[in-house]
Amino acid sequence: MSKFVPVTVAAKALGVSASTLRRWEAAGKLVPARTEGGQRRYDLASTYPERYHGTPTPRRTAAYARVSSHDERADLERQQQVLELYCAAQGWPFEIIADLGSGMNYHKKGLKKLLGEILDGNIGRLVLVHQDRLLRFSAELVFAICQAKQVEVVIINQGEDRSFEEELASDVSEIITVFS
């Protein structure tokens, strides 16, 4: 943000009023540049370098585990152990986010937290045991968000490629299980 901005934009960015900026200029605390027409322009990066050019916070690694029901709690613990061992072996500092709920439920607390952290730019890497542990359907949407936010997605067990018919049978089985 090294471009010069007008008074109203600078005031909003700094959390003060435009008249406060004018007072600071009169007091000699702040010297804006002037356009040929005499309008004030502020370079926020040079005015507050710690705010606009501070050291970027390192983005974290998030490891996500999920199971569908309480009966699978042992599988959730196994997933967490696999994620811990994998991330530790890679030397990545990480945080595990675990959820208990259907792969078709988009309102899980951990999933919401994960997506919020990705959108805020705090996550640099997402580690999963299997792709369907994130979401049963629409995982591609989350992966597209990760790509847009430059989040590396690591899936430990890619598994074998399944045919369209096998995928469809698995999806129908999952839907029937959820609704029964």
Side-chain angles (χ1 to χ4, degrees), residues 5-26 30 32 40 42 44 47-48 51:
V5 296
V7 174
T8 55
V9 175
K12 184 175 181 179
L14 298 173
V16 297
S17 68
S19 60
T20 300
L21 289 179
R22 292 183 190 102
R23 277 198 316 272
W24 288 352
E25 179 187 0
L30 194 60
R40 295 174 180 87
Y42 295 88
L44 297 177
T47 305
Y48 290 99
R51 187 180 289 178

PDB file of all heavy atoms in Angstrom, residues 5-26 30 32 40 42 44 47-48 51:
ATOM      1  N   VAL A   5      -3.317   8.201  -1.035  1.00  0.00           N
ATOM      2  CA  VAL A   5      -4.770   8.152  -0.953  1.00  0.00           C
ATOM      3  C   VAL A   5      -5.311   9.500  -0.479  1.00  0.00           C
ATOM      4  O   VAL A   5      -4.617  10.249   0.214  1.00  0.00           O
ATOM      5  CB  VAL A   5      -5.230   7.026  -0.005  1.00  0.00           C
ATOM      6  CG1 VAL A   5      -4.823   5.660  -0.539  1.00  0.00           C
ATOM      7  CG2 VAL A   5      -4.706   7.222   1.396  1.00  0.00           C
ATOM      8  N   PRO A   6      -6.579   9.808  -0.838  1.00  0.00           N
ATOM      9  CA  PRO A   6      -7.170  11.074  -0.391  1.00  0.00           C
ATOM     10  C   PRO A   6      -7.493  11.066   1.103  1.00  0.00           C
ATOM     11  O   PRO A   6      -7.432  10.036   1.772  1.00  0.00           O
ATOM     12  CB  PRO A   6      -8.438  11.191  -1.231  1.00  0.00           C
ATOM     13  CG  PRO A   6      -8.707   9.855  -1.778  1.00  0.00           C
ATOM     14  CD  PRO A   6      -7.417   9.102  -1.773  1.00  0.00           C
ATOM     15  N   VAL A   7      -7.878  12.227   1.617  1.00  0.00           N
ATOM     16  CA  VAL A   7      -8.122  12.427   3.038  1.00  0.00           C
ATOM     17  C   VAL A   7      -9.142  11.440   3.591  1.00  0.00           C
ATOM     18  O   VAL A   7      -8.906  10.821   4.634  1.00  0.00           O
ATOM     19  CB  VAL A   7      -8.619  13.880   3.298  1.00  0.00           C
ATOM     20  CG1 VAL A   7      -9.021  14.067   4.744  1.00  0.00           C
ATOM     21  CG2 VAL A   7      -7.559  14.883   2.929  1.00  0.00           C
ATOM     22  N   THR A   8     -10.264  11.272   2.916  1.00  0.00           N
ATOM     23  CA  THR A   8     -11.316  10.404   3.459  1.00  0.00           C
ATOM     24  C   THR A   8     -10.863   8.947   3.553  1.00  0.00           C
ATOM     25  O   THR A   8     -11.170   8.269   4.524  1.00  0.00           O
ATOM     26  CB  THR A   8     -12.592  10.507   2.606  1.00  0.00           C
ATOM     27  OG1 THR A   8     -12.258  10.223   1.247  1.00  0.00           O
ATOM     28  CG2 THR A   8     -13.209  11.884   2.709  1.00  0.00           C
ATOM     29  N   VAL A   9     -10.129   8.475   2.564  1.00  0.00           N
ATOM     30  CA  VAL A   9      -9.640   7.096   2.582  1.00  0.00           C
ATOM     31  C   VAL A   9      -8.608   6.918   3.695  1.00  0.00           C
ATOM     32  O   VAL A   9      -8.623   5.938   4.436  1.00  0.00           O
ATOM     33  CB  VAL A   9      -9.055   6.703   1.212  1.00  0.00           C
ATOM     34  CG1 VAL A   9      -8.426   5.327   1.247  1.00  0.00           C
ATOM     35  CG2 VAL A   9     -10.130   6.772   0.139  1.00  0.00           C
ATOM     36  N   ALA A  10      -7.694   7.879   3.826  1.00  0.00           N
ATOM     37  CA  ALA A  10      -6.679   7.809   4.875  1.00  0.00           C
ATOM     38  C   ALA A  10      -7.321   7.864   6.255  1.00  0.00           C
ATOM     39  O   ALA A  10      -6.927   7.124   7.157  1.00  0.00           O
ATOM     40  CB  ALA A  10      -5.678   8.939   4.711  1.00  0.00           C
ATOM     41  N   ALA A  11      -8.323   8.727   6.422  1.00  0.00           N
ATOM     42  CA  ALA A  11      -8.992   8.845   7.714  1.00  0.00           C
ATOM     43  C   ALA A  11      -9.675   7.537   8.089  1.00  0.00           C
ATOM     44  O   ALA A  11      -9.571   7.067   9.224  1.00  0.00           O
ATOM     45  CB  ALA A  11     -10.010   9.985   7.665  1.00  0.00           C
ATOM     46  N   LYS A  12     -10.344   6.923   7.137  1.00  0.00           N
ATOM     47  CA  LYS A  12     -11.028   5.656   7.405  1.00  0.00           C
ATOM     48  C   LYS A  12     -10.019   4.560   7.740  1.00  0.00           C
ATOM     49  O   LYS A  12     -10.218   3.778   8.672  1.00  0.00           O
ATOM     50  CB  LYS A  12     -11.865   5.244   6.197  1.00  0.00           C
ATOM     51  CG  LYS A  12     -12.681   4.007   6.431  1.00  0.00           C
ATOM     52  CD  LYS A  12     -13.586   3.703   5.260  1.00  0.00           C
ATOM     53  CE  LYS A  12     -14.402   2.461   5.537  1.00  0.00           C
ATOM     54  NZ  LYS A  12     -15.305   2.136   4.438  1.00  0.00           N
ATOM     55  N   ALA A  13      -8.909   4.500   7.001  1.00  0.00           N
ATOM     56  CA  ALA A  13      -7.891   3.479   7.238  1.00  0.00           C
ATOM     57  C   ALA A  13      -7.237   3.641   8.604  1.00  0.00           C
ATOM     58  O   ALA A  13      -6.879   2.660   9.247  1.00  0.00           O
ATOM     59  CB  ALA A  13      -6.841   3.525   6.139  1.00  0.00           C
ATOM     60  N   LEU A  14      -7.086   4.873   9.049  1.00  0.00           N
ATOM     61  CA  LEU A  14      -6.430   5.132  10.329  1.00  0.00           C
ATOM     62  C   LEU A  14      -7.412   5.190  11.492  1.00  0.00           C
ATOM     63  O   LEU A  14      -7.000   5.321  12.645  1.00  0.00           O
ATOM     64  CB  LEU A  14      -5.632   6.436  10.248  1.00  0.00           C
ATOM     65  CG  LEU A  14      -4.505   6.436   9.216  1.00  0.00           C
ATOM     66  CD1 LEU A  14      -3.888   7.812   9.094  1.00  0.00           C
ATOM     67  CD2 LEU A  14      -3.461   5.404   9.581  1.00  0.00           C
ATOM     68  N   GLY A  15      -8.705   5.175  11.200  1.00  0.00           N
ATOM     69  CA  GLY A  15      -9.705   5.168  12.257  1.00  0.00           C
ATOM     70  C   GLY A  15      -9.918   6.528  12.905  1.00  0.00           C
ATOM     71  O   GLY A  15     -10.272   6.603  14.081  1.00  0.00           O
ATOM     72  N   VAL A  16      -9.698   7.586  12.160  1.00  0.00           N
ATOM     73  CA  VAL A  16      -9.927   8.948  12.659  1.00  0.00           C
ATOM     74  C   VAL A  16     -10.767   9.700  11.647  1.00  0.00           C
ATOM     75  O   VAL A  16     -11.041   9.209  10.550  1.00  0.00           O
ATOM     76  CB  VAL A  16      -8.588   9.695  12.909  1.00  0.00           C
ATOM     77  CG1 VAL A  16      -7.771   9.002  13.992  1.00  0.00           C
ATOM     78  CG2 VAL A  16      -7.775   9.814  11.639  1.00  0.00           C
ATOM     79  N   SER A  17     -11.153  10.915  12.000  1.00  0.00           N
ATOM     80  CA  SER A  17     -11.933  11.721  11.067  1.00  0.00           C
ATOM     81  C   SER A  17     -11.000  12.519  10.157  1.00  0.00           C
ATOM     82  O   SER A  17      -9.815  12.704  10.454  1.00  0.00           O
ATOM     83  CB  SER A  17     -12.861  12.669  11.822  1.00  0.00           C
ATOM     84  OG  SER A  17     -12.097  13.646  12.500  1.00  0.00           O
ATOM     85  N   ALA A  18     -11.561  13.010   9.053  1.00  0.00           N
ATOM     86  CA  ALA A  18     -10.769  13.824   8.122  1.00  0.00           C
ATOM     87  C   ALA A  18     -10.292  15.109   8.799  1.00  0.00           C
ATOM     88  O   ALA A  18      -9.180  15.576   8.546  1.00  0.00           O
ATOM     89  CB  ALA A  18     -11.592  14.143   6.879  1.00  0.00           C
ATOM     90  N   SER A  19     -11.126  15.667   9.678  1.00  0.00           N
ATOM     91  CA  SER A  19     -10.709  16.894  10.375  1.00  0.00           C
ATOM     92  C   SER A  19      -9.534  16.628  11.312  1.00  0.00           C
ATOM     93  O   SER A  19      -8.683  17.512  11.513  1.00  0.00           O
ATOM     94  CB  SER A  19     -11.887  17.509  11.133  1.00  0.00           C
ATOM     95  OG  SER A  19     -12.384  16.604  12.081  1.00  0.00           O
ATOM     96  N   THR A  20      -9.444  15.424  11.873  1.00  0.00           N
ATOM     97  CA  THR A  20      -8.299  15.068  12.718  1.00  0.00           C
ATOM     98  C   THR A  20      -7.021  15.068  11.891  1.00  0.00           C
ATOM     99  O   THR A  20      -5.982  15.573  12.333  1.00  0.00           O
ATOM    100  CB  THR A  20      -8.511  13.697  13.376  1.00  0.00           C
ATOM    101  OG1 THR A  20      -9.675  13.746  14.182  1.00  0.00           O
ATOM    102  CG2 THR A  20      -7.317  13.300  14.226  1.00  0.00           C
ATOM    103  N   LEU A  21      -7.079  14.527  10.679  1.00  0.00           N
ATOM    104  CA  LEU A  21      -5.904  14.545   9.810  1.00  0.00           C
ATOM    105  C   LEU A  21      -5.485  15.972   9.483  1.00  0.00           C
ATOM    106  O   LEU A  21      -4.292  16.295   9.453  1.00  0.00           O
ATOM    107  CB  LEU A  21      -6.179  13.772   8.522  1.00  0.00           C
ATOM    108  CG  LEU A  21      -6.284  12.250   8.666  1.00  0.00           C
ATOM    109  CD1 LEU A  21      -6.581  11.617   7.308  1.00  0.00           C
ATOM    110  CD2 LEU A  21      -5.011  11.656   9.232  1.00  0.00           C
ATOM    111  N   ARG A  22      -6.467  16.828   9.245  1.00  0.00           N
ATOM    112  CA  ARG A  22      -6.147  18.241   8.964  1.00  0.00           C
ATOM    113  C   ARG A  22      -5.511  18.909  10.187  1.00  0.00           C
ATOM    114  O   ARG A  22      -4.585  19.726  10.046  1.00  0.00           O
ATOM    115  CB  ARG A  22      -7.406  18.976   8.518  1.00  0.00           C
ATOM    116  CG  ARG A  22      -7.896  18.513   7.160  1.00  0.00           C
ATOM    117  CD  ARG A  22      -9.126  19.314   6.687  1.00  0.00           C
ATOM    118  NE  ARG A  22      -9.688  18.695   5.505  1.00  0.00           N
ATOM    119  CZ  ARG A  22     -10.780  17.923   5.508  1.00  0.00           C
ATOM    120  NH1 ARG A  22     -11.453  17.714   6.628  1.00  0.00           N
ATOM    121  NH2 ARG A  22     -11.221  17.385   4.387  1.00  0.00           N
ATOM    122  N   ARG A  23      -5.997  18.584  11.386  1.00  0.00           N
ATOM    123  CA  ARG A  23      -5.398  19.128  12.617  1.00  0.00           C
ATOM    124  C   ARG A  23      -3.971  18.638  12.779  1.00  0.00           C
ATOM    125  O   ARG A  23      -3.076  19.394  13.172  1.00  0.00           O
ATOM    126  CB  ARG A  23      -6.229  18.736  13.840  1.00  0.00           C
ATOM    127  CG  ARG A  23      -7.417  19.621  14.108  1.00  0.00           C
ATOM    128  CD  ARG A  23      -7.957  19.484  15.539  1.00  0.00           C
ATOM    129  NE  ARG A  23      -8.056  18.114  16.021  1.00  0.00           N
ATOM    130  CZ  ARG A  23      -9.108  17.317  15.861  1.00  0.00           C
ATOM    131  NH1 ARG A  23     -10.162  17.756  15.224  1.00  0.00           N
ATOM    132  NH2 ARG A  23      -9.102  16.088  16.346  1.00  0.00           N
ATOM    133  N   TRP A  24      -3.737  17.339  12.500  1.00  0.00           N
ATOM    134  CA  TRP A  24      -2.387  16.803  12.595  1.00  0.00           C
ATOM    135  C   TRP A  24      -1.454  17.502  11.617  1.00  0.00           C
ATOM    136  O   TRP A  24      -0.289  17.746  11.921  1.00  0.00           O
ATOM    137  CB  TRP A  24      -2.386  15.309  12.325  1.00  0.00           C
ATOM    138  CG  TRP A  24      -2.994  14.468  13.430  1.00  0.00           C
ATOM    139  CD1 TRP A  24      -3.392  14.884  14.668  1.00  0.00           C
ATOM    140  CD2 TRP A  24      -3.273  13.082  13.365  1.00  0.00           C
ATOM    141  NE1 TRP A  24      -3.910  13.844  15.383  1.00  0.00           N
ATOM    142  CE2 TRP A  24      -3.853  12.711  14.613  1.00  0.00           C
ATOM    143  CE3 TRP A  24      -3.119  12.101  12.405  1.00  0.00           C
ATOM    144  CZ2 TRP A  24      -4.248  11.424  14.902  1.00  0.00           C
ATOM    145  CZ3 TRP A  24      -3.509  10.811  12.691  1.00  0.00           C
ATOM    146  CH2 TRP A  24      -4.065  10.467  13.928  1.00  0.00           C
ATOM    147  N   GLU A  25      -1.974  17.830  10.440  1.00  0.00           N
ATOM    148  CA  GLU A  25      -1.154  18.556   9.467  1.00  0.00           C
ATOM    149  C   GLU A  25      -0.830  19.954   9.985  1.00  0.00           C
ATOM    150  O   GLU A  25       0.318  20.409   9.897  1.00  0.00           O
ATOM    151  CB  GLU A  25      -1.886  18.659   8.129  1.00  0.00           C
ATOM    152  CG  GLU A  25      -1.072  19.419   7.091  1.00  0.00           C
ATOM    153  CD  GLU A  25      -1.839  19.674   5.803  1.00  0.00           C
ATOM    154  OE1 GLU A  25      -3.002  19.270   5.685  1.00  0.00           O
ATOM    155  OE2 GLU A  25      -1.229  20.292   4.911  1.00  0.00           O
ATOM    156  N   ALA A  26      -1.820  20.645  10.562  1.00  0.00           N
ATOM    157  CA  ALA A  26      -1.597  22.002  11.097  1.00  0.00           C
ATOM    158  C   ALA A  26      -0.602  21.982  12.249  1.00  0.00           C
ATOM    159  O   ALA A  26       0.188  22.923  12.410  1.00  0.00           O
ATOM    160  CB  ALA A  26      -2.925  22.615  11.557  1.00  0.00           C
ATOM    161  N   LEU A  30       1.900  15.506  10.741  1.00  0.00           N
ATOM    162  CA  LEU A  30       1.687  14.754   9.522  1.00  0.00           C
ATOM    163  C   LEU A  30       1.810  15.714   8.344  1.00  0.00           C
ATOM    164  O   LEU A  30       1.222  16.792   8.348  1.00  0.00           O
ATOM    165  CB  LEU A  30       0.278  14.160   9.560  1.00  0.00           C
ATOM    166  CG  LEU A  30      -0.091  13.087   8.583  1.00  0.00           C
ATOM    167  CD1 LEU A  30       0.802  11.870   8.747  1.00  0.00           C
ATOM    168  CD2 LEU A  30      -1.536  12.661   8.805  1.00  0.00           C
ATOM    169  N   PRO A  32       1.167  15.762   4.430  1.00  0.00           N
ATOM    170  CA  PRO A  32       0.689  15.068   3.240  1.00  0.00           C
ATOM    171  C   PRO A  32       1.333  15.631   1.979  1.00  0.00           C
ATOM    172  O   PRO A  32       1.835  16.759   1.968  1.00  0.00           O
ATOM    173  CB  PRO A  32      -0.813  15.353   3.247  1.00  0.00           C
ATOM    174  CG  PRO A  32      -0.926  16.686   3.913  1.00  0.00           C
ATOM    175  CD  PRO A  32       0.174  16.714   4.937  1.00  0.00           C
ATOM    176  N   ARG A  40      -4.876  17.167  -0.701  1.00  0.00           N
ATOM    177  CA  ARG A  40      -3.997  16.354   0.144  1.00  0.00           C
ATOM    178  C   ARG A  40      -4.027  14.896  -0.304  1.00  0.00           C
ATOM    179  O   ARG A  40      -5.065  14.352  -0.609  1.00  0.00           O
ATOM    180  CB  ARG A  40      -4.462  16.426   1.599  1.00  0.00           C
ATOM    181  CG  ARG A  40      -4.364  17.770   2.230  1.00  0.00           C
ATOM    182  CD  ARG A  40      -5.007  17.696   3.627  1.00  0.00           C
ATOM    183  NE  ARG A  40      -4.946  18.978   4.300  1.00  0.00           N
ATOM    184  CZ  ARG A  40      -5.865  19.928   4.169  1.00  0.00           C
ATOM    185  NH1 ARG A  40      -6.911  19.757   3.405  1.00  0.00           N
ATOM    186  NH2 ARG A  40      -5.725  21.083   4.812  1.00  0.00           N
ATOM    187  N   TYR A  42      -2.209  11.134   1.142  1.00  0.00           N
ATOM    188  CA  TYR A  42      -1.473  10.526   2.243  1.00  0.00           C
ATOM    189  C   TYR A  42      -0.895   9.190   1.808  1.00  0.00           C
ATOM    190  O   TYR A  42      -1.582   8.376   1.199  1.00  0.00           O
ATOM    191  CB  TYR A  42      -2.385  10.314   3.452  1.00  0.00           C
ATOM    192  CG  TYR A  42      -2.873  11.611   4.047  1.00  0.00           C
ATOM    193  CD1 TYR A  42      -4.026  12.221   3.577  1.00  0.00           C
ATOM    194  CD2 TYR A  42      -2.165  12.226   5.070  1.00  0.00           C
ATOM    195  CE1 TYR A  42      -4.473  13.413   4.116  1.00  0.00           C
ATOM    196  CE2 TYR A  42      -2.597  13.421   5.612  1.00  0.00           C
ATOM    197  CZ  TYR A  42      -3.753  14.011   5.126  1.00  0.00           C
ATOM    198  OH  TYR A  42      -4.183  15.200   5.659  1.00  0.00           O
ATOM    199  N   LEU A  44       0.006   6.036   3.411  1.00  0.00           N
ATOM    200  CA  LEU A  44      -0.197   5.347   4.684  1.00  0.00           C
ATOM    201  C   LEU A  44       0.986   4.465   5.061  1.00  0.00           C
ATOM    202  O   LEU A  44       1.296   4.302   6.234  1.00  0.00           O
ATOM    203  CB  LEU A  44      -1.481   4.521   4.626  1.00  0.00           C
ATOM    204  CG  LEU A  44      -2.762   5.323   4.440  1.00  0.00           C
ATOM    205  CD1 LEU A  44      -3.947   4.383   4.330  1.00  0.00           C
ATOM    206  CD2 LEU A  44      -2.957   6.304   5.575  1.00  0.00           C
ATOM    207  N   THR A  47       3.530   6.703   6.649  1.00  0.00           N
ATOM    208  CA  THR A  47       3.022   7.313   7.871  1.00  0.00           C
ATOM    209  C   THR A  47       3.028   6.317   9.030  1.00  0.00           C
ATOM    210  O   THR A  47       3.416   6.652  10.141  1.00  0.00           O
ATOM    211  CB  THR A  47       1.588   7.843   7.651  1.00  0.00           C
ATOM    212  OG1 THR A  47       1.595   8.723   6.534  1.00  0.00           O
ATOM    213  CG2 THR A  47       1.079   8.577   8.869  1.00  0.00           C
ATOM    214  N   TYR A  48       2.565   5.090   8.760  1.00  0.00           N
ATOM    215  CA  TYR A  48       2.519   4.040   9.781  1.00  0.00           C
ATOM    216  C   TYR A  48       3.142   2.767   9.233  1.00  0.00           C
ATOM    217  O   TYR A  48       2.444   1.803   8.935  1.00  0.00           O
ATOM    218  CB  TYR A  48       1.067   3.768  10.211  1.00  0.00           C
ATOM    219  CG  TYR A  48       0.469   4.889  11.010  1.00  0.00           C
ATOM    220  CD1 TYR A  48      -0.359   5.821  10.404  1.00  0.00           C
ATOM    221  CD2 TYR A  48       0.753   5.027  12.355  1.00  0.00           C
ATOM    222  CE1 TYR A  48      -0.897   6.867  11.132  1.00  0.00           C
ATOM    223  CE2 TYR A  48       0.225   6.065  13.089  1.00  0.00           C
ATOM    224  CZ  TYR A  48      -0.611   6.990  12.472  1.00  0.00           C
ATOM    225  OH  TYR A  48      -1.139   8.015  13.192  1.00  0.00           O
ATOM    226  N   ARG A  51       2.223  -0.630  10.749  1.00  0.00           N
ATOM    227  CA  ARG A  51       0.882  -1.134  10.482  1.00  0.00           C
ATOM    228  C   ARG A  51       0.758  -1.700   9.074  1.00  0.00           C
ATOM    229  O   ARG A  51       0.046  -2.661   8.841  1.00  0.00           O
ATOM    230  CB  ARG A  51      -0.134  -0.006  10.673  1.00  0.00           C
ATOM    231  CG  ARG A  51      -1.570  -0.490  10.589  1.00  0.00           C
ATOM    232  CD  ARG A  51      -2.570   0.608  10.763  1.00  0.00           C
ATOM    233  NE  ARG A  51      -2.602   1.073  12.134  1.00  0.00           N
ATOM    234  CZ  ARG A  51      -3.379   2.059  12.552  1.00  0.00           C
ATOM    235  NH1 ARG A  51      -4.182   2.666  11.710  1.00  0.00           N
ATOM    236  NH2 ARG A  51      -3.353   2.443  13.802  1.00  0.00           N
TER     237      ARG A  51
END
